[in-house]
Amino acid sequence: AAVAGVELLPAMAQVVVRVENALHDGLVADAQIPGARAVVYSLYPGFDAIGPSDRYGYVALLNVPATDEASDIDLTVTTTDATRVVPIRVQGGAVTAVVVTME
């Protein structure tokens, strides 16, 4: 969150994504969720707010709009070869970890 210059808001959801291939190797990727206030990409040896991620494929989407009850939202993942929209469940005050396997 410090890299993106945002304060984590406890009423909102946080989403951590790992994008990989069928062999479970990480992939360079971009990830987006409508309304997320910040996106942080893994860029060896640290993190940056400018993407896409490095070959490990980690992306954190911060302060995602959510309610106290779990709700469905769309996560859009883009690699050099494909784009995939994945429905995920988020909840305010919680962190959701997602692994997206691109085929």
Side-chain angles (χ1 to χ4, degrees), residues 11-85:
M12 300 188 107
Q14 315 305 325
V15 178
V16 177
V17 180
R18 181 166 193 267
V19 182
E20 61 183 32
N21 62 22
L23 299 174
H24 306 293
D25 295 326
L27 293 175
V28 173
D30 182 52
Q32 300 294 324
I33 292 175
R37 300 223 177 136
V39 182
V40 179
Y41 300 91
S42 60
L43 292 175
Y44 182 81
F47 297 88
D48 203 323
I50 297 172
S53 70
D54 59 23
R55 65 183 179 86
Y56 296 105
Y58 286 100
V59 183
L61 297 114
L62 308 177
N63 294 335
V64 174
T67 63
D68 289 340
E69 296 181 14
S71 57
D72 293 321
I73 59 172
D74 287 335
L75 165 68
T76 302
V77 176
T78 304
T79 65
T80 55
D81 297 325
T83 296
R84 183 171 175 201
V85 177

